[in-house]
Amino acid sequence: MAKTKVLKIDKDSHVEENWIKNYVKIIKLVCNFFEIIVKTIRMCNSKKKGLHFYITINPPVEPDFANLLQWLLGDDCARVDYNRARILAGLEEWNKLFENPDIKLKTIFKKGD
Amino acid sequence: MQTKLIKGKWTGPRVYRLTIFTAWYDAETKDVIGYEVHYKIPRKGKIKAVRRHLAKRGIKNFQVYVYRQTGKWIPKKKVRIGFERETYAPKGKGIINIIPMKLTNYDKSDRLWKTATELPTRRLYYAVKRRVKKWLKRKS
C-alpha cells in the first residue's frame, strides 16, 4: 500500500478559536516527537456537529502509522476502527472523511508562517 | 494540465468518491456481517447534481450486489452513504469503478471487525442504459 501524506481528523465538537490554536500546537508537538514535519493544517465544519482537520505532513508515512497518528491526535474512535478494517483489507483509499458538497477548507497553519 | 478556472472557481472535472455501507446480524453464523462498497468516478458538472445521480445509481447497485452475494435484500433505510471531498481530475469518464469490501468476525468487546476482505472490483456505467421498448422496435 502506498504511503500517505495527508492525515484526516474528525473532532465531534465545536470549540473556541483559542482551543483550536492550542490544538495546532499539540499537532506540531506530536508530529515532531515522531520526526515528522507538519506542512499545512486546514480545517472545515463537518456535516453534523464538529470539525474536520486535514494535515499535510512530510515525509509520507505507512497507513498503519498514519492511523495511529490520527488516533493520537484525537480522531473519532469509530473512524479509527473502520480505517483499521480498510487497511487490513488492503484498500489504497482507506482514509475516508465525508463532507458536504462545496465545502471550503480554511488554512489555519502553514509552515514558514 | 490546462487550468480550468473561471473567476477563481474550478470548472473542470472532479473525482467523486462515494462509500455505501450496511451491516446486520446473521443468526446462522452468529456474527455481524458488513458490506462496504466504494464508488469512484471523475466527472464534470455541478457537484450536487452528480452526487445525487451517483447516489441513486450506487444505492441500487449496492442493494443488488449484496442480494447476489448473500440472498438478503437491504432496504434503503438500512444503507448509509457518504461522499468524500471532491478532488480535481484531468479528464471526465462515464464509467464508475467499484471496490467492494466484506467485513466479518465482529468483536463485541473491541467493537471492531477482525476480518476485512477486498472483493473483486467491478464497473458500472454512470448513465442509465436506454432500453428501446420491443413494440417500438417492431414498429420501426
Side-chain angles (χ1 to χ4, degrees), chain A residues 85-86 88 93 96 99, chain B residues 17 36 40 51 83-84:
Chain A
R86 290 189 200 113
L88 193 67
E93 293 182 0
K96 302 224 170 247
E99 303 281 9
Chain B
R17 291 176 179 86
E36 187 175 271
K40 183 177 168 184
R51 277 194 180 198
F83 281 93
E84 287 183 73

Side-chain angles (χ1 to χ4, degrees), chain B residues 12-139:
Chain B
R14 293 180 173 89
V15 179
Y16 292 84
R17 291 176 179 86
L18 165 65
T19 303
I20 303 182
F21 172 78
T22 192
W24 69 90
Y25 178 74
D26 184 27
E28 268 182 43
T29 54
K30 290 185 183 171
D31 187 21
V32 178
I33 295 174
Y35 273 89
E36 187 175 271
V37 182
H38 307 283
Y39 298 83
K40 183 177 168 184
I41 180 171
R43 194 79 189 167
K44 198 174 176 179
K46 287 186 180 175
I47 293 177
K48 283 183 183 173
V50 175
R51 277 194 180 198
R52 199 182 313 124
H53 185 89
L54 188 56
K56 203 174 165 184
R57 293 287 277 150
I59 290 172
K60 190 74 193 178
N61 176 268
F62 180 80
Q63 287 175 305
V64 169
Y65 179 77
V66 172
Y67 181 75
R68 282 180 181 162
Q69 292 279 312
T70 63
K72 186 180 166 69
W73 184 261
I74 310 293
K76 274 187 192 172
K77 62 180 181 182
K78 296 276 185 185
V79 164
R80 279 167 33 200
I81 74 165
F83 281 93
E84 287 183 73
R85 191 167 169 267
E86 287 77 21
T87 51
Y88 301 140
K91 202 175 169 184
K93 277 186 189 172
I95 296 173
I96 305 168
N97 283 325
I98 304 171
I99 305 168
M101 189 174 82
K102 185 177 178 180
L103 304 157
T104 50
N105 270 340
Y106 187 72
D107 190 334
K108 267 189 189 175
S109 51
D110 289 342
R111 289 168 72 180
L112 172 71
W113 270 282
K114 298 282 187 194
T115 311
T117 326
E118 189 181 341
L119 299 169
T121 55
R122 302 168 65 84
R123 293 168 111 197
L124 175 73
Y125 282 108
Y126 178 79
V128 180
K129 193 174 175 183
R130 273 188 178 186
R131 291 173 209 278
V132 179
K133 293 190 171 115
K134 279 185 185 170
W135 66 269
L136 275 170
K137 268 189 192 169
R138 271 186 241 131
K139 209 178 175 183

